[in-house]
Amino acid sequence: MSKLKRPAIHYFLLRPLISEYCGALLCRGGAHRAVSTWTRLDFQSIDQKWQKRWKGLIPTSETTRKDGPKSYVLPMFPYPSGALHIGHLRNYTISDVLARFKRMQGYDVLHAIGWDAFGLPAENAAIDRGVEPAEWTRQNIAKMKEQLLAMNGSFDWTRVDANGFSWRSGAKAEKVMLKQWFIRITAFRDALLQDLDRLSDGNCWPERVLAMQRNWLGKSEGTNVRFFIKADNAIESFPGSVEVFTTRPDTLFGVQYLALSASHPLVTSLAKQHPDLLSFLDTISEQDGDSKAGFRLPKIYAVNPLASLPDMPDFVKQPLPVYVAPYVLQDYGEGAVMGVPAHDERDHSFWRRNEHKTIRQVVVSATDFVNSIAQTSNATSKSAFTPKGVLSTACAKFSGLPSADAAKTIIADLRKIGGLAKDAQTWRLRDWLVSRQRYWGTPIPIIHCKQCGAVPVPHNQLPVELPELHRDWFKGRDGNPLESAEGWVNTKCPSCGEDAKRDTDTMDTFVDSSWYYMRFVNSTNVSQPFDPDLADAMLPVDIYIGGVEHAILHLLYARFIGKFLATTHLWPSGGGPENCGEPFHRLITQGMVQGKTYSDPLTGRFLRPEELDLSEPSKPKIIQSRQDPIISWEKMSKSKYNGVDPIDCIKSHGADAVRAHILFQAPIGEVLEWDEDRIIGIQRWFGRLWRLVEDVQSRLAKQDILIDRISDSPSFNASSLKAVEADIWLVVQNTIQSVTTALSDTFTLNTVISDLIKLTNTLSTSSQDMAYSRVVYEAISALLRMLAPVAPAFAEECWERLHSYPDSSSGASPRGEPESIFLQRFPQLDGSSDMLAKRRQTCAVQENGKLRIAIDIAQPPPDLLQKAWGAELQAWVLMQIERSDEGKKWMENHKGKQWKRVVVVRGGRTVNFVG
């Protein structure tokens, strides 16, 4: 007797049963359809409305709350070029989001802004236009401030100092011999290097930036080796030897020449006797540091110190030519380097250009050593052998020794003979040259007196201000106008009272940008740079945001100034013993913003927008040839026709949509490929959220439920929630945890947007059946407060709508306008997550007994588990599966499939679709 066959089950035939049990939770119509239909909001009007309301809301007092937590969030300030670019907008969006978040957490937040106003670009622009640099700068500042206000930022504008700063210059530099001022930054080099380890703890600074700083400091441990210098004729003040610093004493057998810097004493002495040498020295200022040009000193040669050891090969005793080379720096070692063409790429290139002789290889790989002889390679060899290895058989008693052992042995032997070698270290870091022969900068506060020399300007006469010059001076003139400003430059000596002159140099603009963050703490102080108590209260900067292009000089100089001032009365604590005068605790470097470019496949020429047919954005065509252009992402520039005006974007889409789009499209440290077409996705999300707020508010009003008290914690007991309510509240708690971590620790701001979108979708699909519930209100309240730092104006608008309960007669809210969302507390965990998670279980979804997915679902209500007939339990579990992202995707992939039966066992922990 055959068994009765069950009829085939189409999953979607279960929907009526699901809806009967769970209301509209899975219904494709109702609220879900309503919030999916996007009605365009007037984002520009929302921006304007709330920008007016915010005036006076952001705290601007310079007095800090000593009993409360502080947070100093600072973006690198802009150079006032007159126009923001998308990179600016990304930088300031990040800082504003973090500042608003901290403020909503209850911190006393300093979020200042200023202008990188001094510098050569402004002076050159003024000369080109025949206007004063100050006038040009002020005009640009006014334009850029208006642009920054349009982005819905929460900057404290009262901190802007009248003085500006700059760290950029694209002007051509000239090399001339001058007496100039230096700051002795090298006195802090050990601290600058050692304390990088502190900044690496907890990933406070990106490792890439730390590596760049270490490389710039450039500490090298090595050896000073003495080469004797011989000459065919007597030379006045001729040195008997030259010390050379090297980190590879194992290559001494391969030295084939000596190179000296242009300012080495021997070179300057010989230049008086040799016109050809003098002419060569005159050309060095026009050559870069990588030049392989050289001038061989006539009748001068060097002797390898190995020649002083017994039983050395003859080639070691041969005289070595001595060159003057642009690549040799006077302040590296003693201004002399040993040339080893076989084992250094730079030396190899120099030798090939200047000598064309055999190159002597003396270090070989271990595998080659067995067959090695006196190694040589032709001068046309394309590269040097730079790794460490084994000394060849040409190296006498050192033959066969590994490089490290050979180096130690060679140094030890040379020490025994007249101290020809000694341990040494050298640094790449040099003292900071701060003199600039320009007008638009900070004057160097020094007065020059014929009797007293260089005299500092007295403290009571600081700061020294620039004189105002007539705009006619800047019409096509070169040079430093301060030199001809007689009323300013001529003064009295502070020491003896005699006639004297001011120093007409201005400071490197890195000087200003290296301490502006300290001035923001106390920007109105007229008697000193800043108040020490305020510095101790607010410094260091907690979060510093800017481009990685400033990873070396700006950050290094700022670190130096911080450490120096920590030794003075101005910042006595230095941020505490663990901080050691470091100015920035956490550093965020945002990635570059790239624009879409189109180029001609035949010529490679970048195409203008008017040369393209973009009627089908996914299939662009070159109008003239009808060919497909090459599409790439490049750094935005005018020459590539891929620049984007952020203000145009804000006018088109609203500031908040642009802000959210910037954060969502890429992690903040990575390159952002700017695609304005995708902003519509953010706007649609905002549309869904707005409809959700409207729906919930109207239901609350119909139920006559008035939210009189907005608290930091929910007004219900999570343990008593129904299953659907518990599911929603668990998602809310998980979102709060994820978003808080992203905003305070990992700074993965793109995940903040994705988390808030997911929470919006969860509430949109689950709220209609329980719109009267306090849980839904608390969930939407938390969502809006988490959204507020990202989309401040839109969040304010939603918050106001959620709490508006119009009177039936007047249409006015009986409570008036609700408080700003930024006066509310950022959502906090209520401790219910673990308890709510225990009310969930893992469900294994099988297809014909084979596991397909395992998802997390709520535990079935007890009454379903106790019923004899399992159809309702089956419908409930299937509904839970479809509510998850993974389950919904699996269901959609099997849409239309006829199942023979669906088996639910183990209380919903296993579901087997049998087909």
Side-chain angles (χ1 to χ4, degrees), residues 774-792:
R774 180 75 188 217
V775 173
V776 174
Y777 165 76
E778 297 282 5
I780 293 178
S781 169
L783 170 57
L784 294 180
R785 284 178 283 148
M786 287 186 282
L787 174 67
V790 173

PDB file of all heavy atoms in Angstrom, residues 774-792:
ATOM      1  N   ARG A 774       6.322  51.851  22.904  1.00  0.00           N
ATOM      2  CA  ARG A 774       7.406  52.721  23.360  1.00  0.00           C
ATOM      3  C   ARG A 774       8.740  52.222  22.813  1.00  0.00           C
ATOM      4  O   ARG A 774       9.672  53.009  22.614  1.00  0.00           O
ATOM      5  CB  ARG A 774       7.437  52.728  24.893  1.00  0.00           C
ATOM      6  CG  ARG A 774       8.521  53.599  25.507  1.00  0.00           C
ATOM      7  CD  ARG A 774       8.180  55.058  25.410  1.00  0.00           C
ATOM      8  NE  ARG A 774       9.276  55.910  25.818  1.00  0.00           N
ATOM      9  CZ  ARG A 774       9.131  57.041  26.491  1.00  0.00           C
ATOM     10  NH1 ARG A 774       7.934  57.447  26.834  1.00  0.00           N
ATOM     11  NH2 ARG A 774      10.167  57.780  26.801  1.00  0.00           N
ATOM     12  N   VAL A 775       8.852  50.920  22.554  1.00  0.00           N
ATOM     13  CA  VAL A 775      10.102  50.364  22.021  1.00  0.00           C
ATOM     14  C   VAL A 775      10.433  50.990  20.676  1.00  0.00           C
ATOM     15  O   VAL A 775      11.584  51.335  20.402  1.00  0.00           O
ATOM     16  CB  VAL A 775      10.000  48.831  21.898  1.00  0.00           C
ATOM     17  CG1 VAL A 775      11.227  48.270  21.185  1.00  0.00           C
ATOM     18  CG2 VAL A 775       9.840  48.187  23.258  1.00  0.00           C
ATOM     19  N   VAL A 776       9.428  51.162  19.825  1.00  0.00           N
ATOM     20  CA  VAL A 776       9.673  51.745  18.512  1.00  0.00           C
ATOM     21  C   VAL A 776      10.147  53.180  18.666  1.00  0.00           C
ATOM     22  O   VAL A 776      11.085  53.617  17.990  1.00  0.00           O
ATOM     23  CB  VAL A 776       8.407  51.673  17.643  1.00  0.00           C
ATOM     24  CG1 VAL A 776       8.623  52.417  16.338  1.00  0.00           C
ATOM     25  CG2 VAL A 776       8.046  50.231  17.360  1.00  0.00           C
ATOM     26  N   TYR A 777       9.498  53.936  19.572  1.00  0.00           N
ATOM     27  CA  TYR A 777       9.946  55.317  19.774  1.00  0.00           C
ATOM     28  C   TYR A 777      11.394  55.348  20.252  1.00  0.00           C
ATOM     29  O   TYR A 777      12.215  56.118  19.727  1.00  0.00           O
ATOM     30  CB  TYR A 777       9.064  56.037  20.802  1.00  0.00           C
ATOM     31  CG  TYR A 777       9.733  57.306  21.275  1.00  0.00           C
ATOM     32  CD1 TYR A 777       9.750  58.440  20.463  1.00  0.00           C
ATOM     33  CD2 TYR A 777      10.427  57.355  22.484  1.00  0.00           C
ATOM     34  CE1 TYR A 777      10.420  59.588  20.850  1.00  0.00           C
ATOM     35  CE2 TYR A 777      11.098  58.489  22.889  1.00  0.00           C
ATOM     36  CZ  TYR A 777      11.091  59.607  22.066  1.00  0.00           C
ATOM     37  OH  TYR A 777      11.768  60.733  22.449  1.00  0.00           O
ATOM     38  N   GLU A 778      11.711  54.523  21.256  1.00  0.00           N
ATOM     39  CA  GLU A 778      13.081  54.521  21.789  1.00  0.00           C
ATOM     40  C   GLU A 778      14.076  54.112  20.708  1.00  0.00           C
ATOM     41  O   GLU A 778      15.189  54.634  20.641  1.00  0.00           O
ATOM     42  CB  GLU A 778      13.181  53.570  22.983  1.00  0.00           C
ATOM     43  CG  GLU A 778      12.327  53.935  24.185  1.00  0.00           C
ATOM     44  CD  GLU A 778      12.934  55.055  25.009  1.00  0.00           C
ATOM     45  OE1 GLU A 778      13.968  55.614  24.594  1.00  0.00           O
ATOM     46  OE2 GLU A 778      12.370  55.373  26.072  1.00  0.00           O
ATOM     47  N   ALA A 779      13.679  53.186  19.846  1.00  0.00           N
ATOM     48  CA  ALA A 779      14.577  52.732  18.779  1.00  0.00           C
ATOM     49  C   ALA A 779      14.841  53.854  17.777  1.00  0.00           C
ATOM     50  O   ALA A 779      15.987  54.089  17.374  1.00  0.00           O
ATOM     51  CB  ALA A 779      13.991  51.513  18.088  1.00  0.00           C
ATOM     52  N   ILE A 780      13.759  54.541  17.376  1.00  0.00           N
ATOM     53  CA  ILE A 780      13.938  55.639  16.418  1.00  0.00           C
ATOM     54  C   ILE A 780      14.681  56.798  17.071  1.00  0.00           C
ATOM     55  O   ILE A 780      15.521  57.454  16.437  1.00  0.00           O
ATOM     56  CB  ILE A 780      12.567  56.095  15.883  1.00  0.00           C
ATOM     57  CG1 ILE A 780      11.958  54.976  15.043  1.00  0.00           C
ATOM     58  CG2 ILE A 780      12.700  57.369  15.058  1.00  0.00           C
ATOM     59  CD1 ILE A 780      10.586  55.278  14.507  1.00  0.00           C
ATOM     60  N   SER A 781      14.410  57.057  18.349  1.00  0.00           N
ATOM     61  CA  SER A 781      15.149  58.092  19.078  1.00  0.00           C
ATOM     62  C   SER A 781      16.642  57.797  19.064  1.00  0.00           C
ATOM     63  O   SER A 781      17.466  58.679  18.803  1.00  0.00           O
ATOM     64  CB  SER A 781      14.638  58.185  20.516  1.00  0.00           C
ATOM     65  OG  SER A 781      15.493  58.988  21.309  1.00  0.00           O
ATOM     66  N   ALA A 782      16.997  56.546  19.343  1.00  0.00           N
ATOM     67  CA  ALA A 782      18.415  56.169  19.334  1.00  0.00           C
ATOM     68  C   ALA A 782      19.009  56.309  17.934  1.00  0.00           C
ATOM     69  O   ALA A 782      20.130  56.798  17.756  1.00  0.00           O
ATOM     70  CB  ALA A 782      18.580  54.739  19.842  1.00  0.00           C
ATOM     71  N   LEU A 783      18.246  55.881  16.916  1.00  0.00           N
ATOM     72  CA  LEU A 783      18.717  55.982  15.538  1.00  0.00           C
ATOM     73  C   LEU A 783      18.999  57.433  15.161  1.00  0.00           C
ATOM     74  O   LEU A 783      20.050  57.752  14.586  1.00  0.00           O
ATOM     75  CB  LEU A 783      17.678  55.382  14.595  1.00  0.00           C
ATOM     76  CG  LEU A 783      17.869  55.603  13.093  1.00  0.00           C
ATOM     77  CD1 LEU A 783      19.219  55.074  12.629  1.00  0.00           C
ATOM     78  CD2 LEU A 783      16.744  54.953  12.308  1.00  0.00           C
ATOM     79  N   LEU A 784      18.100  58.331  15.483  1.00  0.00           N
ATOM     80  CA  LEU A 784      18.284  59.731  15.114  1.00  0.00           C
ATOM     81  C   LEU A 784      19.450  60.351  15.861  1.00  0.00           C
ATOM     82  O   LEU A 784      20.206  61.167  15.303  1.00  0.00           O
ATOM     83  CB  LEU A 784      17.004  60.515  15.398  1.00  0.00           C
ATOM     84  CG  LEU A 784      15.787  60.149  14.540  1.00  0.00           C
ATOM     85  CD1 LEU A 784      14.591  61.000  14.934  1.00  0.00           C
ATOM     86  CD2 LEU A 784      16.083  60.305  13.052  1.00  0.00           C
ATOM     87  N   ARG A 785      19.644  59.990  17.115  1.00  0.00           N
ATOM     88  CA  ARG A 785      20.761  60.547  17.879  1.00  0.00           C
ATOM     89  C   ARG A 785      22.099  60.011  17.368  1.00  0.00           C
ATOM     90  O   ARG A 785      23.114  60.712  17.429  1.00  0.00           O
ATOM     91  CB  ARG A 785      20.584  60.253  19.371  1.00  0.00           C
ATOM     92  CG  ARG A 785      19.541  61.150  20.036  1.00  0.00           C
ATOM     93  CD  ARG A 785      19.351  60.810  21.497  1.00  0.00           C
ATOM     94  NE  ARG A 785      18.557  59.603  21.670  1.00  0.00           N
ATOM     95  CZ  ARG A 785      18.717  58.753  22.681  1.00  0.00           C
ATOM     96  NH1 ARG A 785      19.648  58.948  23.592  1.00  0.00           N
ATOM     97  NH2 ARG A 785      17.937  57.686  22.774  1.00  0.00           N
ATOM     98  N   MET A 786      22.115  58.781  16.884  1.00  0.00           N
ATOM     99  CA  MET A 786      23.342  58.273  16.267  1.00  0.00           C
ATOM    100  C   MET A 786      23.585  58.899  14.902  1.00  0.00           C
ATOM    101  O   MET A 786      24.730  59.056  14.475  1.00  0.00           O
ATOM    102  CB  MET A 786      23.273  56.744  16.142  1.00  0.00           C
ATOM    103  CG  MET A 786      23.426  56.012  17.468  1.00  0.00           C
ATOM    104  SD  MET A 786      23.523  54.209  17.281  1.00  0.00           S
ATOM    105  CE  MET A 786      21.800  53.793  17.031  1.00  0.00           C
ATOM    106  N   LEU A 787      22.518  59.269  14.217  1.00  0.00           N
ATOM    107  CA  LEU A 787      22.643  59.909  12.913  1.00  0.00           C
ATOM    108  C   LEU A 787      23.100  61.355  13.039  1.00  0.00           C
ATOM    109  O   LEU A 787      23.746  61.896  12.126  1.00  0.00           O
ATOM    110  CB  LEU A 787      21.296  59.852  12.186  1.00  0.00           C
ATOM    111  CG  LEU A 787      21.178  60.587  10.855  1.00  0.00           C
ATOM    112  CD1 LEU A 787      22.069  59.927   9.793  1.00  0.00           C
ATOM    113  CD2 LEU A 787      19.732  60.630  10.383  1.00  0.00           C
ATOM    114  N   ALA A 788      22.788  62.002  14.150  1.00  0.00           N
ATOM    115  CA  ALA A 788      22.987  63.447  14.296  1.00  0.00           C
ATOM    116  C   ALA A 788      24.404  63.920  13.978  1.00  0.00           C
ATOM    117  O   ALA A 788      24.569  64.921  13.271  1.00  0.00           O
ATOM    118  CB  ALA A 788      22.572  63.888  15.697  1.00  0.00           C
ATOM    119  N   PRO A 789      25.473  63.274  14.458  1.00  0.00           N
ATOM    120  CA  PRO A 789      26.813  63.766  14.105  1.00  0.00           C
ATOM    121  C   PRO A 789      27.094  63.718  12.607  1.00  0.00           C
ATOM    122  O   PRO A 789      27.836  64.547  12.087  1.00  0.00           O
ATOM    123  CB  PRO A 789      27.749  62.820  14.872  1.00  0.00           C
ATOM    124  CG  PRO A 789      26.920  62.286  15.996  1.00  0.00           C
ATOM    125  CD  PRO A 789      25.541  62.159  15.432  1.00  0.00           C
ATOM    126  N   VAL A 790      26.505  62.748  11.909  1.00  0.00           N
ATOM    127  CA  VAL A 790      26.756  62.574  10.484  1.00  0.00           C
ATOM    128  C   VAL A 790      25.938  63.553   9.651  1.00  0.00           C
ATOM    129  O   VAL A 790      26.446  64.218   8.753  1.00  0.00           O
ATOM    130  CB  VAL A 790      26.432  61.124  10.061  1.00  0.00           C
ATOM    131  CG1 VAL A 790      26.526  60.977   8.542  1.00  0.00           C
ATOM    132  CG2 VAL A 790      27.358  60.144  10.758  1.00  0.00           C
ATOM    133  N   ALA A 791      24.630  63.622   9.950  1.00  0.00           N
ATOM    134  CA  ALA A 791      23.688  64.441   9.172  1.00  0.00           C
ATOM    135  C   ALA A 791      22.960  65.374  10.126  1.00  0.00           C
ATOM    136  O   ALA A 791      21.795  65.151  10.456  1.00  0.00           O
ATOM    137  CB  ALA A 791      22.714  63.538   8.421  1.00  0.00           C
ATOM    138  N   PRO A 792      23.629  66.423  10.597  1.00  0.00           N
ATOM    139  CA  PRO A 792      23.080  67.224  11.694  1.00  0.00           C
ATOM    140  C   PRO A 792      21.753  67.913  11.365  1.00  0.00           C
ATOM    141  O   PRO A 792      20.827  67.897  12.186  1.00  0.00           O
ATOM    142  CB  PRO A 792      24.184  68.243  11.975  1.00  0.00           C
ATOM    143  CG  PRO A 792      25.058  68.243  10.767  1.00  0.00           C
ATOM    144  CD  PRO A 792      24.976  66.878  10.200  1.00  0.00           C
TER     145      PRO A 792
END
